[in-house]
Each structure stands twice: as structure tokens, then as C-alpha cells.
């Protein structure tokens, strides 16, 4: 399977995605996301702080998941340079942003990944790595990643869309479940997810289809029970995340005929409490080329932050705190039901 | 295509209160309580509902509880097993009445 970009797909263009999302709201005569925020006095949406610097270090990935909002894959060559990484480190040194969330693609495939992690840790910041698990077993040069993570006390957040092979492989590719289980055993073996080690291993559940996630508490109980009884695997928490209609997931929705009904479901499930707690209010997302965004989804839609300095080299915390966060129809994904963020439910 | 069952009608379920609000309100309140977490989990209740939906052959309910069981993290295998439970009870309930048939046969036969 190729990325949308490599296959020349129309939805590889951010503009085409935005046009589709806006057109849908207009033709269905549904309230726009902006209307919804206005109705609860949240528009314009303002930041509450900058607690997380989420850095996308590249779109290169060893997997090609059907729902990937990054359109990542082995054919994507966009990768953050060491120079841009240094600019991120400079920003961290000048600010007191406590959490750095590294994502991709597979962030570990960036050749400067380990150096970057070490430099951030020297500044005493908490580092989260969004690890797709299979990268750990994809090539011998990555086999020691669990040790590297442990050595630097990295919080590992790993996608595992279901506790069986069928649903996981349908979404993430043949054999992904089996490799994920191997990687989880390796993480557990060095102490991740084990009681009293302080080595945090969180899993991410997102629905393998056009439906919303159920109760995070209930899903976590199921995942813990099955993964322990069938595979002897332990982990800390499960984050239930709603699939956002962006990029390959948007393509899936359209191609499968589920687009209208999924959007309707998200709109009908709009939750004001979730809207008040959206993750874009306390984070800044950095793209592989150093551009700044309100979140990873806005990044994929080329919606850079609405401030004069839109590059990490021009980072101005005061200006960013005054900005209006850019919203559009895809934002319904973060405000539906129990809410959704990179850390799971929000409401 | 016009059919008796319009999937769009499922979303209008709440509108039954238009003709009789008091009873509808009581029903929806009861319905909400029935499906809340209790001695059975919400997930178990959803699987029961899916099975019953097949037994009463309610197209709306099948759609609704297929979606609900998926959302609650059920596997396709679990969902189909629930339907088989309903099917087994349904066929069993047919077959157990054959005892009455056999009794009658024996009663009227030489």
C-alpha cells in the first residue's frame, strides 16, 4: 500500500481535504464547528498554556496504516534535520515547557532521533515517544530501543488498535499484531508497564472502522484482561482516541461510503465539556520542517499557527499565547462524546 | 428505493414523544437505566441487546446494536456468538413445543 501522496491521490492535498470538509458542512446544512464554539462562548478558541511541545520528526514510517492522518509510510522522505532539532532544543532551553511529545511517522527512523532525545533530556524535560511498536523488531538496529527508552526514562505511547490480530492487522497491515506483541514483550522485559518501575507504557486504542470509541475505562479493562491472559503483557493506561477525518482516514470514509454518517455522528455527539478541554489549547505542534501548528491535525492540513512567526526559529511564547487557534470541521473529532486527544478522552 | 424500513427513521426514535410525551419520557428514562452499568456491564448488555434485536427482527435495533457493540470493543466473533445464542433459544423454543405435538399424536393415535 502506498501513501496518498505517492499514489497521486486527490486527498493528498490539504486544500482538497479542507474543501471536502467544508463542502460537506454546507450541503448537509449542519452547524459549522465555529458555530458550535460560538454557541458556547468559546470562539475564538484561545490557548490556556504551552505545556506540551509536540514535534513531528518526519513522515517516514515502516507501516502504512489505513487510518493514518499523517499519510506516513516508507515512501515518505520528509524528515526533520538536525538543524531544526537544534532550534527546537533552543526553544526548550529558553522556555519552561515541561513535556516534549515526539511523533512521526516512526520517530525512531529519524537518523538524529537518539541524539535529539538525549539533548532534550539534558534539559530535564519529560519525553514521550509515540512508538508504533513494530519498529522495535523491524530491523536489528532498532532492537535495543527498549533499553534506550529505559535508560532515558522515556514515556512510551504505542498504538495497538485492538487486542486481537484480525482488527489490528486490518487497520495497520498484515503481521503487525504479532510484531507488536513481540515488541511489547521486549518493553515489558526491561520494566515498561511493570509495577513500581516508573517506566510508563501506555497503549492507544482507536476504532478499526467508521465508529467512535466506547468507554475508555471499559476498553482498558478488556485490553488488560486479554493481553495479560493470552500474552502475559502488562501496560499502564489505554488512551481511547477518535479517528479524525483527515488524510487516509478521510479517504477511507469517502471510499467506504461512511463519510456522511460518520460526520453526522461526530456533529451530533458534540460535547461542550470536551470542547473546552481540547489539546490544542495547551500545546504547540512542530512540523518536520519547523513550521508551527495548533495540533498534529492542523499540521497535516497545512494550517500554520495564526501569528507572525510561524517557524520554530521565530518561536514567540507571548505571541502564541495570544493567538486564535484555527478550527475547522475536522475538529469535531476531538469534541465528540468523551472527547479525544493524544492522551485519550478529555471530558 | 422506497421501503417500509427507512434507516433514517432510527435517528427519529426520540420523536415518538411528539404524540405522547409522558409515556415516551418514562420509556426513555427506563431504557437509559436498563443499559447503564449495573450487575451486568454495559458491554454485556449491548451483546444481549444485539442478540434480542435479531430475535425480534428489528432492523433498526440490529443497526444500532451492531454499532454499539463495536464501540464497546466487542469482536465480530463475540457478536456472532451472541446471535447464535438467540438463534439457539429460538430454535429450541420451536423444538420444545414438538413435545406437545408428540403428546397429542400419542393421545389421538391407536
Amino acid at each position: 500500500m502506498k501513501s496518498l501522496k505517492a499514489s497521486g491521490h486527490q486527498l493528498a492535498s490539504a486544500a482538497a481535504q479542507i474543501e471536502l470538509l467544508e463542502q460537506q458542512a454546507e450541503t448537509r446544512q449542519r452547524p459549522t464547528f465555529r458555530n458550535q464554539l460560538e454557541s458556547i462562548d468559546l470562539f475564538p478558541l484561545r490557548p490556556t498554556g504551552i505545556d506540551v511541545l509536540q514535534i513531528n520528526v518526519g513522515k517516514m514510517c515502516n507501516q502504512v496504516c489505513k487510518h493514518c492522518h499523517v499519510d506516513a509510510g516508507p515512501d515518505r522522505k520528509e524528515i526533520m534535520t538536525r538543524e531544526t532539532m537544534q532550534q527546537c532544543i533552543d526553544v526548550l532551553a529558553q522556555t519552561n515547557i515541561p513535556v516534549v511529545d515526539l511523533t512521526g511517522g516512526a520517530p525512531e527512523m529519524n537518523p538524529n532521533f537518539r541524539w535529539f532525545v538525549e539533548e532534550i533530556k539534558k534539559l530535564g524535560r519529560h519525553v514521550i515517544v509515540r512508538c508504533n511498536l513494530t519498529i522495535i523488531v523491524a530491523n536489528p538496529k532498532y532492537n535495543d530501543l527498549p533499553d534506550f527508552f529505559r535508560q532515558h526514562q522515556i514515556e512510551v505511547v504505542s498504538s495497538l488498535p485492538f487486542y486481537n490480530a484480525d482488527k489490528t492487522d486490518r487497520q495497520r497491515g498484515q503481521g503487525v499484531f504479532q510484531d507488536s506483541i513481540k515488541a511489547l514483550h521486549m518493553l515489558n522485559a526491561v520494566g515498561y508497564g511493570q509495577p513500581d518501575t516508573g517506566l510508563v507504557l501506555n497503549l492507544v486504542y482507536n476504532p478499526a472502522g467508521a465508529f467512535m470509541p466506547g468507554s475508555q475505562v471499559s476498553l482498558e479493562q478488556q485490553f488488560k484482561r486479554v493481553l495479560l491472559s493470552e500474552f502475559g503483557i502488562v501496560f499502564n493506561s489505554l488512551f481511547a482516541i477518535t479517528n479524525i477525518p483527515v488524510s487516509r482516514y478521510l479517504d477511507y470514509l469517502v471510499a467506504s461510503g461512511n463519510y456522511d454518517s460518520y460526520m453526522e455522528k461526530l456533529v451530533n455527539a458534540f460535547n461542550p465539556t470536551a470542547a473546552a478541554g481540547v489539546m490544542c489549547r495547551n500545546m504547540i505542534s512542530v512540523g518536520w520542517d519547523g513550521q508551527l501548528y495548533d495540533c498534529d491535525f492542523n499540521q497535516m492540513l497545512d494550517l500554520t499557527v495564526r501569528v507572525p512567526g510561524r517557524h520554530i526559529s521565530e518561536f514567540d511564547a507571548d505571541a502564541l499565547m495570544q493567538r486564535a487557534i484555527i478550527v475547522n470541521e475536522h475538529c469535531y473529532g476531538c469534541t465528540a462524546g468523551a472527547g479525544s486527544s493524544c492522551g485519550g478522552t478529555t471530558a | 428505493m422506497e421501503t417500509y424500513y427507512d434507516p433514517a427513521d432510527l435517528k427519529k426514535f426520540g420523536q415518538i414523544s411528539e404524540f405522547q410525551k409522558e409515556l415516551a419520557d418514562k420509556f426513555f428514562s427506563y431504557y437509559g437505566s436498563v443499559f447503564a452499568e449495573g450487575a451486568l456491564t454495559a458491554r454485556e448488555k449491548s451483546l444481549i441487546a444485539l442478540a434480542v434485536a435479531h430475535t425480534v427482527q428489528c432492523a433498526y435495533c440490529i443497526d444500532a446494536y451492531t454499532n454499539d457493540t463495536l464501540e464497546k470493543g466487542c469482536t465480530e466473533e463475540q457478536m456472532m456468538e451472541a446471535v447464535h445464542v438467540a438463534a439457539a433459544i429460538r430454535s429450541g423454543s420451536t423444538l420444545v413445543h414438538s413435545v406437545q405435538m408428540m403428546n397429542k399424536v400419542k393421545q389421538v393415535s391407536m
Side-chain angles (χ1 to χ4, degrees), chain A residues 162-164 167 170 211-212 214 219 222 264-265, chain B residues 11 37 43 67 70-76 78:
Chain A
F162 210 66
Y163 50 75
N164 70 16
K167 284 192 186 186
R170 265 190 272 155
F211 52 95
M212 285 170 51
L219 287 164
Q222 290 174 55
E264 186 177 10
K265 205 176 291 181
Chain B
K11 292 170 208 146
E37 292 275 342
R43 184 171 176 273
N67 203 50
L70 283 172
E71 287 184 359
K72 289 188 164 59
C74 298
T75 64
E76 285 88 337
Q78 290 165 340

Side-chain angles (χ1 to χ4, degrees), chain A residues 40-295:
Chain A
I40 53 169
D41 293 329
L42 263 183
F43 189 85
L45 191 62
R46 299 288 184 190
T48 54
I50 306 177
D51 302 321
V52 181
L53 192 68
Q54 188 173 66
I55 307 174
N56 188 315
V57 297
K59 297 189 179 186
M60 192 181 287
C61 192
N62 60 316
Q63 291 183 183
V64 194
C65 304
K66 281 185 187 162
H67 72 301
C68 182
H69 70 277
V70 181
D71 193 25
D75 58 45
R76 298 302 298 262
K77 307 301 177 202
E78 299 92 330
I79 204 93
M80 183 175 275
T81 62
R82 191 153 166 157
E83 184 192 0
T84 308
M85 287 177 167
Q86 185 59 55
Q87 289 167 341
C88 294
I89 291 161
D90 293 345
V91 164
L92 289 168
Q94 291 154 17
T95 60
N96 56 1
I97 300 171
V99 178
V100 180
D101 188 346
L102 299 178
T103 184
E108 302 90 340
M109 290 178 84
N110 183 307
N112 293 303
F113 169 75
R114 296 188 193 213
W115 169 82
F116 194 34
V117 168
E118 284 164 359
E119 292 301 307
I120 299 167
K121 287 305 290 187
K122 281 180 195 168
L123 296 171
R125 308 306 159 87
H126 180 68
V127 176
I128 299 169
V129 171
R130 308 254 156 200
C131 174
N132 71 13
L133 293 174
T134 64
I135 191 66
I136 293 172
V137 294
N139 183 308
K141 71 178 176 180
Y142 298 122
N143 289 170
D144 67 335
L145 276 169
D147 271 324
F148 176 79
F149 293 152
R150 178 189 52 79
Q151 192 187 339
H152 296 286
Q153 299 282 301
I154 306 298
E155 177 182 335
V156 177
V157 177
S158 295
S159 285
L160 189 70
F162 210 66
Y163 50 75
N164 70 16
D166 182 42
K167 284 192 186 186
T168 302
D169 288 0
R170 265 190 272 155
Q171 184 181 91
R172 296 174 83 77
Q174 200 60 36
V176 164
F177 183 74
Q178 199 182 359
D179 285 349
S180 300
I181 294 298
K182 267 188 223 165
L184 285 168
H185 279 139
M186 291 164 75
L187 286 163
N188 277 173
V190 300
Y192 271 97
Q194 305 283 4
D196 307 323
T197 61
L199 296 169
V200 177
L201 170 62
N202 294 323
L203 297 184
V204 175
Y205 161 86
N206 60 288
F211 52 95
M212 285 170 51
S215 152
Q216 182 168 278
V217 173
S218 166
L219 287 164
E220 181 179 288
Q221 286 168 352
Q222 290 174 55
F223 267 69
K224 283 194 167 172
R225 183 173 47 80
V226 177
L227 290 180
L228 180 63
S229 66
E230 294 192 13
F231 306 103
I233 287 167
V234 290
F235 65 96
N236 295 96
S237 300
L238 183 80
F239 300 156
I241 294 183
T242 303
N243 288 315
I244 309 292
V246 168
S247 193
R248 287 216 286 271
Y249 188 67
L250 180 60
D251 173 48
Y252 156 75
L253 289 174
V254 173
S256 63
N258 284 301
Y259 177 54
D260 281 352
S261 59
Y262 188 74
M263 287 306 295
E264 186 177 10
K265 205 176 291 181
L266 295 184
V267 174
N268 290 343
F270 177 78
N271 179 349
T273 308
V278 281
M279 61 180 172
C280 53
R281 299 191 80 183
N282 74 336
M283 73 178 294
I284 291 291
S285 161
V286 188
W288 67 275
D289 55 358
Q291 294 293 317
L292 303 179
Y293 304 87
D294 300 303
C295 72

